[in-house]
Amino acid sequence: SSSSSSSSNDSIHVPSILPSKNSISLMNDLVKMVTTTDTIPTNNTDGSKNNHNSNHSNYDDSCNYYHGAILSEALLNYLLELHELHPEYNLIDRVISPDGNMSLVNLMETYLVPCGGVGSGGGGSGNSNSGHSKINNNSIESSSSTSLSYTAKLSSQTQSWKQAVQNASRILDTMNQLIDQSDNALHHDLLSCNATLNVWSKLCLWLAATSNTTNTATTTTTTKEVDYNEKKDWNNNNNDNNNHGMNHNWGKKNEHGNLPKSCQNMTTVSQVLSQMEQLLFRMEEEHFMNLSNNTNNPNNSNNNNDNNNIQPCIPDEYTYNTIISTLARCAQFSNDPLNMAQRAEEYLKRMEWTEDQDRNWNLNLKAKNHEKSSQKTATTTTATTTNTRRTVCYPDTVTYNCVLHSYSSIMPKTKRITNTTSNTQSYNHHIPNHNFTSTTSTNTRKKKQHTTNTPENIKNAALTQHTSMRAASILTRMEERYQSTSRQNVQPDTISYSNVLRAYANAGKAREAERVLDTILSKSNQEGWRGRVVPNRICFNTAIDAWAKKQSQSSSSSNDDDPAERALAILQRMEDLSDNINYDTNYEECPPDTISYSSVISAFARSGRMDGAERAQELLERSLRLYQEGQNDHLRPDTITFNTVLGAWAKHAKLERHNSRNHKNKKYYSHNHPHANTIRTSNTEERALELLDRMHRLENAGNGEGGENIIAANNIRPCTISYNIILDMYANISMPEKAYALLQKMDKLYHEDGNKNVKPDIISYNTVLSALSNAPSKSDINAIEKAEKLLKKMEGTYIKEPNDNDDCHKLSFHIKPNVISYNAVIGALARRKIPGSAEKAEELLLSMEDNFESGLSEVSPNTVTYNMCINAWSKHGGSRGAKGAERILHKLIEQSKKNNMGYLRPDSVSFTSVINAISKSGERNSTDRAEALLKAMEETHGIMPNTITFNTVMNCHAQSGKKSSAKRAEELLLRMEDLSRAGVPDVRPDSVSFSTVINALSRCGESGSGLKAEQILKRMEDLRDDVTSHISPDSFTYASVLNTMSKSGEHDAPKRTLHILNRMEELHKSGIKNVAPNEYCYNAVLYAFAKSKEETKARSAYLILLDMKKKYDSGQSNAKPSMLTYSNVLNACAFTSSNDANVRNDAFSIARGCFKELLSDEYGKPNNIVFATFLLACYNLVPKCNDRDSLVSFVFKECCDRGMVDVKVIHTVQRLFSQEKARELFEGSDLLVGRRITFDDIPKQWTRSAKSRRSATHN
């Protein structure tokens, strides 16, 4: 037999004597030996090599089922070759046909065992005498853990999976060839059809798992994909020849020769699903046609039973469930999982509709017994003409569970990784997520960006919300059907509720997930449900994970709303139930395991609570204690658990850093919390390093203290992730030197001590580069230089200089930098305004381009890289900075056209940064160039500007100071509003947009600008009440309006500015905190009074000054008067013009008092403008007399003593006073009264503190 199983064409020795009946029975037993195998493994093999046959090199040679399959196929090949040479023996009918297709189907199922514990089965509705497959077909979706581990096996052993499907397909080809032959008794039956569907199902899953893109566009709905009127042709398996998906090696020849015919043209998921559905619908058509013929001609029914060994091809529950489960499992790999789930649900709806129609017919039948035959005929003939296609079977629990699984397995693409629930654990590695993005620097305030509101996150949230609602709806339908029909095979079980629980967890609905868990616990003790719904740790862990991933809503949340506390409460329920195992076996699977504790630890680590790290540490110690006391393997601690606690301490350090920066100490716990004092005084860094050292002690088994020897036996050891967590902590708390030292320690442990577990990886290097790049400002230059050296060391271009004290040369790097490495250093150069930083950034960009051209794809510069270089030149400023930014942008555009890569193309940030650089250039044509870029951005490159882009262009107009700038800024603002109303995203004006227009109005100097600014402010105030606008004028907005109005020169400007100031104070008192008047607001109002022609403007300005001092003394620090405040009051006094002597005397009295206060240096030191203004007040308000001359001499001497004399002071003296007085004041210097005096002519001692160097003309 073995010798004849080879594929050679040598002639086979044919016995001269016809095989006896006993020998034929022996052959039959050998062919069916798989069915007599006592144990068939239901798990994947370990992938070891087998040398028995080259076609089966991926299987474990110790598996009995595999040896049986090899021997059975060898004997089958021998029989086929013998039958071909001697058809007179009729071996097919005598050996194989007596049991129909059973032997061949069992052989296919055996080859498919590596694909999981799911067989094809013979179905539940066939003839009981025809025999069934040994593997139970009801194992489809028998548990959530099976389904998930099933997917994990497929992902990790795709080659073994592929080989299994190839082997099974080869037997399927043989079966089809035998059935096609007219000289034997084999025919297509339910067994062969279900086996075909099973093989195609495994093929479909393999294609889905190995494909990067799963095309579902060609099969949007079930009813549209299949031609119901297609002629029955069992051998036509190649109806769909269009390749709509990705081709794989499956459709090509391999080392074993041609692939099986039954699967050759199935290279995409859509093609395989189409074939499966066509087969099902042909089976349905045949059944309905036979049923119709038998109804019309009852005598035909006798002719259908001529051969009792042939089963009719009537689809059963397994037939439908195979297709539904295939759709459900493919949804996990599909780019459009919702479409797959909806198609699976369409089958369920058809089966539900069929049962409902039959129930209604039975009810009508009882009411109208005399119309029985006519109604039956009518129902049969019209069922296929209605919109909903009739099925043959009703849904069962497996059907519902498959559809529920299809919805519960849908997760966002970023999370679409196989979730492990029973034997494995998914872990978020706490790898630092450094997203080095460029920022656009503008003169406007930056708006805080919330990454949680990105379009992708919103879309993912909507998807999971929808799938959770669909899963809950299907479960409700399942419960209602069970109650209305009392069919036990449709009763929900643990898997049904677990799938809905999982769907809620994926959608972030932790509270709803916990309610489902409560339902499971409640039903497990109810009559009729006990044993059907059994709680297990998978259900509990899913509910815990739902809370663990949910963020805290507020710092004052109660335990009922705190996700970490809710997760802990579920863990405590698991512990309480585990204590009752001896009394109630219903809770045998409920004791917590390592995943349970790790999830709760993760909940506290991610909670953002100040006591989160301490609570996580407590839970770790608690799990260790329970493991040591009970020696329970389910509670065995592992490295992941320790890393989670390390991550908690790292996040705690980041929170402390954040609170210290903001001078806030928000507590997420009550002051009587037992760890309150510990948390406030503990050294977080030391706690994290202590835990890392403990992991090192446990790594050395036997070196721990006390019971930790037991834990050490579990091989807990620090790994690269452990160190990366600490590195990320140092990066977040701005400790680059310690991060650098820790990287050196990792390098030493790996290269010198041989510890491969802590080998530094690219994440380690990039984290240190990030720490150095984001170093505090005090060590900016040194840190950036060290980051550059580190990058050169990674490149292999680092050369130690003679005077270089850096120990970078000691590191032994073997990992080349990637784009993130370069972006870290380029981003640091772009953020710092260091001489030569823009040039260095561009050099690194050129180096990346050269390396990419030489074949290093991992260093290909992306859009972020170019944007940061543009930003570096933008920070440079001036004309050179603008030209450099434009040069990088043009290079980005050229590279985008040259390489045609989707990830390398200019975006709105690119253009916005260049426009910002142009606005800083100070060139006359800056506004024209900015407008040209804005136009090219839209029309040439098809990039829609966003709010920041428009704000930057408006700011460019504002900075230009042209008279037309304000008008153009207003036009851009109106365009933004029009685009926003039209539905264009990301162009909605914000507070910065309105403030920029106001700023342009203040600079243009046009008449009426103050009124326009006030009108814009009114629009902003109206929009403040609209919660969807996100527009709210703040103190700076009001200050810009006040500044515009004060410079407008309008006669009522003082009154209007004072009215706005009073409105700000009222709004602040009403609870709007961001509108409190600040120094700039008060100074703008004072400036308006100073420039007005009111007689009493000095008194009005002085009253405002007194009000500021009063508010400042009461604790309002933003109302503190400054030197500019006093200068404005002095200006109002100096230019007081009145015929009333009392008004002039009052104005001078105010000016003298303000001047004295400035001399005391309490509110700032007087500058040259203050002295010049007070000299002017003396001249205008004090009559000419000896007292005035003495006062002028005192002021000028004080100005000289303070070193505040400049050309403005000299010019004031020359212009206001007589030459004799000027000579008196200039005595002791070389200044000539009647000559032009420059700043350099003034004695150095007089100008030592003056900043102005403007020259003045002579008097």
Side-chain angles (χ1 to χ4, degrees):
S1 173
S2 299
S3 63
S4 59
S5 64
S6 63
S7 59
S8 63
N9 295 325
D10 298 339
S11 61
I12 300 176
H13 173 70
V14 180
S16 58
I17 302 176
L18 183 69
S20 64
K21 181 178 180 180
N22 291 336
S23 62
I24 293 175
S25 300
L26 176 60
M27 293 178 186
N28 195 14
D29 291 338
L30 287 173
V31 173
K32 296 186 297 182
M33 69 182 302
V34 177
T35 63
T36 63
T37 304
D38 293 334
T39 303
I40 296 180
T42 58
N43 296 324
N44 274 8
T45 58
D46 59 2
S48 59
K49 299 292 183 181
N50 189 319
N51 296 324
H52 286 283
N53 193 314
S54 61
N55 288 341
H56 315 286
S57 60
N58 291 321
Y59 297 152
D60 187 353
D61 58 1
S62 64
C63 295
N64 294 330
Y65 80 92
Y66 178 66
H67 290 304
I70 295 176
L71 186 57
S72 296
E73 187 177 1
L75 181 55
L76 176 62
N77 292 333
Y78 172 74
L79 289 174
L80 295 177
E81 294 179 16
L82 187 61
H83 175 75
E84 183 178 356
L85 293 175
H86 295 276
E88 65 273 12
Y89 291 168
N90 200 17
L91 292 177
I92 301 300
D93 289 344
R94 301 177 67 181
V95 179
I96 299 177
S97 297
D99 287 332
N101 299 308
M102 176 59 65
S103 300
L104 298 173
V105 170
N106 278 322
L107 182 55
M108 279 187 282
E109 287 180 340
T110 307
Y111 274 133
L112 291 177
V113 166
C115 299
V118 181
S120 65
S125 61
N127 192 333
S128 61
N129 296 327
S130 63
H132 301 290
S133 167
K134 184 176 182 66
I135 300 178
N136 184 7
N137 67 305
N138 290 331
S139 61
I140 292 182
E141 296 294 341
S142 59
S143 69
S144 298
S145 59
T146 300
S147 170
L148 295 171
S149 60
Y150 183 91
T151 306
K153 293 174 185 175
L154 173 54
S155 301
S156 61
Q157 299 187 14
T158 55
Q159 189 61 34
S160 299
W161 188 288
K162 173 183 175 181
Q163 187 65 60
V165 178
Q166 285 178 327
N167 293 335
S169 300
R170 190 170 58 251
I171 307 302
L172 178 60
D173 278 353
T174 301
M175 183 179 70
N176 290 333
Q177 292 173 6
L178 292 176
I179 291 175
D180 291 341
Q181 295 175 3
S182 58
D183 57 350
N184 60 67
L186 287 178
H187 292 81
H188 274 292
D189 57 7
L190 178 60
L191 199 63
S192 63
C193 293
N194 283 347
T196 302
L197 288 174
N198 190 33
V199 174
W200 287 350
S201 174
K202 302 304 184 294
L203 168 61
C204 189
L205 292 173
W206 180 83
L207 290 173
T210 56
S211 173
N212 292 327
T213 57
T214 302
N215 191 319
T216 58
T218 59
T219 55
T220 55
T221 61
T222 303
T223 56
K224 291 183 179 180
E225 185 176 355
V226 181
D227 184 4
Y228 298 104
N229 298 320
E230 179 185 1
K231 183 178 179 181
K232 176 182 174 182
D233 183 5
W234 295 109
N235 300 319
N236 184 12
N237 292 325
N238 302 321
N239 295 323
D240 187 2
N241 295 322
N242 294 327
N243 184 9
H244 300 295
M246 178 176 290
N247 287 324
H248 306 283
N249 293 331
W250 182 263
K252 302 177 182 179
K253 293 182 179 180
N254 59 15
E255 67 274 16
H256 306 308
N258 289 331
L259 292 171
K261 177 181 177 182
S262 58
C263 300
Q264 274 184 342
N265 294 322
M266 299 184 189
T267 58
T268 65
V269 172
S270 61
Q271 290 174 345
V272 181
L273 288 173
S274 177
Q275 292 295 319
M276 295 177 69
E277 291 176 326
Q278 288 182 30
L279 177 56
L280 171 63
F281 289 126
R282 288 198 297 267
M283 294 172 69
E284 290 180 334
E285 286 295 322
E286 182 188 19
H287 167 68
F288 289 130
M289 290 174 61
N290 292 337
L291 185 60
S292 178
N293 292 336
N294 293 338
T295 302
N296 296 328
N297 188 4
N299 295 327
N300 291 340
S301 61
N302 296 329
N303 299 329
N304 295 332
N305 297 324
D306 294 338
N307 189 347
N308 292 330
N309 291 329
I310 300 177
Q311 299 184 49
C313 296
I314 303 175
D316 62 357
E317 291 86 353
Y318 177 79
T319 311
Y320 289 96
N321 289 343
T322 299
I323 296 180
I324 294 174
S325 65
T326 303
L327 289 167
R329 285 165 174 162
C330 286
Q332 301 177 66
F333 306 101
S334 173
N335 283 340
D336 189 6
L338 184 59
N339 175 264
M340 289 287 192
Q342 289 172 341
R343 291 174 61 188
E345 189 179 1
E346 284 299 318
Y347 279 100
L348 173 63
K349 289 180 178 179
R350 287 179 56 203
M351 299 173 77
E352 290 176 332
W353 180 85
T354 301
E355 182 176 16
D356 294 338
Q357 291 294 310
D358 289 349
R359 288 173 59 194
N360 294 334
W361 182 81
N362 290 329
L363 293 175
N364 294 333
L365 183 64
K366 294 180 180 179
K368 300 178 181 180
N369 190 40
H370 63 281
E371 297 178 359
K372 176 180 178 181
S373 59
S374 62
Q375 289 186 17
K376 180 177 180 181
T377 303
T379 303
T380 304
T381 57
T382 60
T384 57
T385 61
T386 57
N387 292 332
T388 302
R389 182 175 174 83
R390 185 178 178 83
T391 61
V392 180
C393 303
Y394 301 156
D396 58 7
T397 302
V398 175
T399 311
Y400 279 98
N401 286 349
C402 288
V403 179
L404 286 172
H405 174 73
S406 67
Y407 281 112
S408 66
S409 62
I410 294 178
M411 293 183 292
K413 292 181 181 179
T414 55
K415 298 180 181 178
R416 203 172 296 167
I417 303 171
T418 300
N419 285 344
T420 54
T421 53
S422 56
N423 298 324
T424 57
Q425 176 182 7
S426 62
Y427 172 63
N428 190 354
H429 284 182
H430 297 280
I431 294 174
N433 182 18
H434 300 299
N435 191 8
F436 301 105
T437 58
S438 67
T439 56
T440 303
S441 175
T442 62
N443 291 333
T444 57
R445 298 180 305 282
K446 293 182 180 180
K447 182 178 179 181
K448 185 178 180 180
Q449 300 293 329
H450 299 278
T451 57
T452 56
N453 292 330
T454 60
E456 184 67 21
N457 289 339
I458 294 174
K459 181 179 178 181
N460 290 336
L463 175 64
T464 54
Q465 292 289 328
H466 173 73
T467 55
S468 64
M469 290 189 293
R470 293 303 311 147
S473 174
I474 293 171
L475 179 62
T476 302
R477 283 157 45 191
M478 187 180 183
E479 292 174 330
E480 293 174 350
R481 186 163 298 273
Y482 169 65
Q483 293 175 0
S484 61
T485 63
S486 299
R487 287 197 295 116
Q488 295 297 322
N489 65 342
V490 79
Q491 182 181 9
D493 57 7
T494 306
I495 305 152
S496 312
Y497 290 99
S498 297
N499 278 319
V500 178
L501 194 156
R502 182 186 176 203
Y504 278 134
N506 291 340
K509 297 180 178 180
R511 194 175 299 278
E512 289 81 355
E514 189 173 353
R515 289 198 189 104
V516 176
L517 176 63
D518 294 336
T519 302
I520 294 174
L521 293 172
S522 174
K523 287 188 177 295
S524 65
N525 292 316
Q526 295 179 12
E527 188 67 27
W529 294 87
R530 190 177 181 87
R532 182 74 176 181
V533 177
V534 181
N536 54 43
R537 63 173 59 93
I538 297 175
C539 305
F540 282 95
N541 288 348
T542 305
I544 290 174
D545 189 60
W547 282 113
K549 293 177 180 178
K550 191 175 181 64
Q551 298 296 327
S552 298
Q553 299 298 324
S554 64
S555 59
S556 59
S557 298
S558 62
N559 288 349
D560 291 340
D561 298 324
D562 191 310
E565 295 292 346
R566 295 299 293 267
L568 180 60
I570 297 176
L571 175 65
Q572 291 171 344
R573 291 173 67 183
M574 296 180 71
E575 293 175 339
D576 295 339
L577 291 175
S578 64
D579 294 338
N580 298 326
I581 291 179
N582 297 330
Y583 307 100
D584 191 346
T585 58
N586 206 32
Y587 303 126
E588 289 181 350
E589 298 297 326
C590 292
D593 58 1
T594 305
I595 299 176
S596 311
Y597 274 91
S598 295
S599 297
V600 180
I601 289 173
S602 177
F604 280 102
R606 301 173 57 175
S607 65
R609 298 162 43 130
M610 291 302 296
D611 65 334
E614 192 70 39
R615 299 291 296 277
Q617 183 77 39
E618 285 181 355
L619 285 168
L620 173 63
E621 301 298 337
R622 178 173 161 186
S623 64
L624 294 176
R625 185 177 66 254
L626 291 174
Y627 174 69
Q628 293 171 7
E629 293 175 353
Q631 293 295 299
N632 185 352
D633 285 343
H634 292 302
L635 288 176
R636 176 180 299 175
D638 55 15
T639 302
I640 294 176
T641 310
F642 276 82
N643 284 348
T644 306
V645 181
L646 274 178
W649 284 116
K651 185 166 186 176
H652 181 70
K654 185 177 180 180
L655 286 173
E656 286 184 331
R657 173 77 174 180
H658 174 75
N659 291 338
S660 64
R661 282 181 174 179
N662 295 322
H663 302 286
K664 296 178 181 178
N665 194 17
K666 297 181 179 179
K667 299 300 177 182
Y668 292 85
Y669 50 83
S670 59
H671 291 288
N672 57 358
H673 190 276
H675 301 290
N677 294 328
T678 305
I679 295 169
R680 294 191 186 96
T681 59
S682 64
N683 190 319
T684 305
E685 178 192 356
E686 291 181 0
R687 298 291 296 273
L689 293 177
E690 179 184 350
L691 187 60
L692 183 64
D693 291 340
R694 185 179 181 184
M695 295 176 70
H696 274 293
R697 293 197 303 269
L698 292 174
E699 182 181 12
N700 302 319
N703 293 336
E705 299 179 0
E708 287 193 343
N709 290 327
I710 301 175
I711 306 174
N714 293 296
N715 297 323
I716 294 178
R717 58 177 64 88
C719 60
T720 303
I721 296 174
S722 311
Y723 276 87
N724 286 349
I725 293 172
I726 307 298
L727 289 174
D728 187 51
M729 177 187 71
Y730 284 137
N732 287 328
I733 61 178
S734 301
M735 291 185 174
E737 295 298 332
K738 291 189 176 182
Y740 193 78
L742 188 63
L743 178 64
Q744 291 177 317
K745 179 180 178 181
M746 292 178 68
D747 184 81
K748 180 178 180 298
L749 287 173
Y750 173 65
H751 288 285
E752 297 183 12
D753 299 346
N755 191 341
K756 297 182 179 180
N757 297 314
V758 296
K759 177 183 178 181
D761 58 8
I762 189 63
I763 296 175
S764 311
Y765 305 145
N766 288 345
T767 306
V768 176
L769 284 173
S770 175
L772 293 170
S773 301
N774 294 286
S777 57
K778 294 181 179 179
S779 57
D780 268 356
I781 298 179
N782 294 334
I784 292 178
E785 289 179 353
K786 183 169 286 189
E788 291 181 82
K789 294 177 183 178
L790 191 58
L791 181 61
K792 289 182 179 179
K793 181 68 177 179
M794 296 173 69
E795 289 179 321
T797 60
Y798 173 74
I799 300 177
K800 188 179 185 325
E801 300 293 337
N803 297 327
D804 190 358
N805 297 323
D806 188 28
D807 51 2
C808 183
H809 65 282
K810 297 180 180 179
L811 296 174
S812 304
F813 289 96
H814 296 284
I815 296 182
K816 294 296 182 181
N818 58 14
V819 62
I820 299 178
S821 312
Y822 283 97
N823 284 357
V825 181
I826 294 175
L829 294 170
R831 287 189 294 270
R832 271 71 169 187
K833 199 172 181 179
I834 301 174
S837 59
E839 290 83 354
K840 290 182 179 180
E842 188 169 358
E843 288 177 5
L844 287 175
L845 175 62
L846 293 175
S847 176
M848 294 177 71
E849 291 177 338
D850 293 340
N851 290 333
F852 176 69
E853 293 293 337
S854 63
L856 298 177
S857 58
E858 63 273 9
V859 297
S860 172
N862 53 26
T863 303
V864 174
T865 313
Y866 284 93
N867 287 349
M868 288 189 295
C869 286
I870 293 173
N871 194 32
W873 279 112
S874 178
K875 290 281 184 69
H876 186 280
S879 176
R880 189 163 178 264
K883 291 179 181 178
E886 288 183 282
R887 182 174 62 253
I888 302 297
L889 176 62
H890 292 317
K891 182 179 293 188
L892 172 58
I893 295 173
E894 292 175 1
Q895 290 291 335
S896 176
K897 294 178 180 178
K898 176 182 177 182
N899 298 319
N900 195 24
M901 294 181 292
Y903 64 88
L904 184 60
R905 61 179 182 179
D907 56 10
S908 60
V909 177
S910 312
F911 285 92
T912 304
S913 298
V914 176
I915 294 172
N916 182 47
I918 292 174
S919 68
K920 294 179 179 179
S921 65
E923 298 177 343
R924 292 183 178 181
N925 62 342
S926 60
T927 55
D928 296 334
R929 291 162 62 189
E931 290 279 1
L933 270 179
L934 180 65
K935 182 178 180 180
M937 180 181 178
E938 295 183 79
E939 299 180 0
T940 306
H941 302 282
I943 301 173
M944 188 63 201
N946 56 24
T947 302
I948 299 177
T949 310
F950 279 106
N951 289 349
T952 308
V953 177
M954 289 190 294
N955 183 61
C956 184
H957 282 287
Q959 294 294 326
S960 67
K962 297 180 180 179
K963 290 186 177 181
S964 60
S965 62
K967 180 180 179 181
R968 181 53 186 155
E970 286 186 273
E971 291 174 351
L972 289 172
L973 178 62
L974 292 175
R975 187 184 172 205
M976 292 175 68
E977 293 178 324
D978 292 339
L979 291 173
S980 179
R981 282 191 292 267
V984 179
D986 301 327
V987 295
R988 193 171 191 174
D990 57 7
S991 299
V992 175
S993 309
F994 288 93
S995 299
T996 305
V997 176
I998 295 172
N999 186 32
L1001 288 169
S1002 68
R1003 290 171 175 264
C1004 70
E1006 287 187 345
S1007 60
S1009 59
L1011 181 59
K1012 291 181 179 179
E1014 192 174 6
Q1015 291 173 347
I1016 294 176
L1017 177 63
K1018 183 63 170 61
R1019 289 169 57 191
M1020 295 181 69
E1021 290 177 334
D1022 294 338
L1023 290 171
R1024 177 164 48 199
D1025 299 331
D1026 184 1
V1027 294
T1028 63
S1029 66
H1030 304 291
I1031 293 176
S1032 177
D1034 56 13
S1035 299
F1036 293 96
T1037 308
Y1038 281 97
S1040 298
V1041 176
L1042 291 171
N1043 186 46
T1044 305
M1045 295 176 67
S1046 65
K1047 293 179 179 179
S1048 65
E1050 298 169 359
H1051 68 280
D1052 58 346
K1055 181 180 179 181
R1056 286 161 54 196
T1057 54
L1058 186 59
H1059 175 72
I1060 293 177
L1061 183 65
N1062 293 333
R1063 190 162 79 240
M1064 291 179 66
E1065 293 176 346
E1066 292 175 358
L1067 291 172
H1068 179 63
K1069 291 178 181 179
S1070 67
I1072 303 178
K1073 302 299 182 182
N1074 64 339
V1075 296
N1078 55 26
E1079 172 198 344
Y1080 304 104
C1081 300
Y1082 287 107
N1083 288 341
V1085 178
L1086 289 172
Y1087 186 83
F1089 276 101
K1091 294 299 181 181
S1092 70
K1093 296 181 180 180
E1094 294 184 5
E1095 288 188 355
T1096 59
K1097 60 181 181 181
R1099 174 56 58 179
S1100 299
Y1102 184 63
L1103 292 176
I1104 295 174
L1105 174 62
L1106 293 178
D1107 186 52
M1108 291 180 67
K1109 294 170 65 176
K1110 181 180 179 181
K1111 286 183 170 59
Y1112 174 68
D1113 293 338
S1114 64
Q1116 298 184 25
S1117 58
N1118 56 350
K1120 180 181 179 181
S1122 64
M1123 185 273 299
L1124 182 59
T1125 308
Y1126 281 90
S1127 179
N1128 284 325
V1129 177
L1130 286 173
N1131 200 359
C1133 296
F1135 287 94
T1136 296
S1137 177
S1138 176
N1139 296 325
D1140 190 343
N1142 294 328
V1143 173
R1144 294 196 303 273
N1145 291 336
D1146 182 57
F1148 180 73
S1149 176
I1150 294 172
R1152 184 173 54 187
C1154 291
F1155 185 71
K1156 287 183 178 180
E1157 289 184 14
L1158 282 175
L1159 292 179
S1160 65
D1161 296 340
E1162 182 178 357
Y1163 296 102
K1165 297 180 180 180
N1167 60 5
N1168 55 332
I1169 298 176
V1170 170
F1171 282 103
T1173 305
F1174 187 69
L1175 288 174
L1176 178 61
C1178 293
Y1179 177 82
N1180 288 337
L1181 301 177
V1182 180
K1184 184 178 180 180
C1185 61
N1186 293 333
D1187 292 339
R1188 190 182 77 171
D1189 292 341
S1190 300
L1191 181 59
V1192 169
S1193 300
F1194 169 78
V1195 172
F1196 187 80
K1197 183 178 182 303
E1198 185 70 22
C1199 184
C1200 294
D1201 293 342
R1202 290 176 177 262
M1204 285 294 178
V1205 179
D1206 68 344
V1207 291
K1208 184 177 181 62
V1209 176
I1210 297 297
H1211 174 72
T1212 301
V1213 172
Q1214 289 180 324
R1215 180 172 60 87
L1216 298 180
F1217 302 103
S1218 63
Q1219 292 186 359
E1220 290 78 11
K1221 184 62 178 179
R1223 290 190 185 93
E1224 177 187 341
L1225 297 176
F1226 297 160
E1227 186 179 359
S1229 68
D1230 296 332
L1231 297 178
L1232 299 178
V1233 175
R1235 302 287 296 275
R1236 181 177 180 272
I1237 298 176
T1238 65
F1239 187 87
D1240 294 331
D1241 296 332
I1242 305 173
K1244 303 297 183 183
Q1245 187 66 19
W1246 290 6
T1247 62
R1248 66 183 184 276
S1249 301
K1251 296 181 179 180
S1252 175
R1253 292 182 175 272
R1254 294 177 300 171
S1255 62
T1257 58
H1258 59 81
N1259 191 0

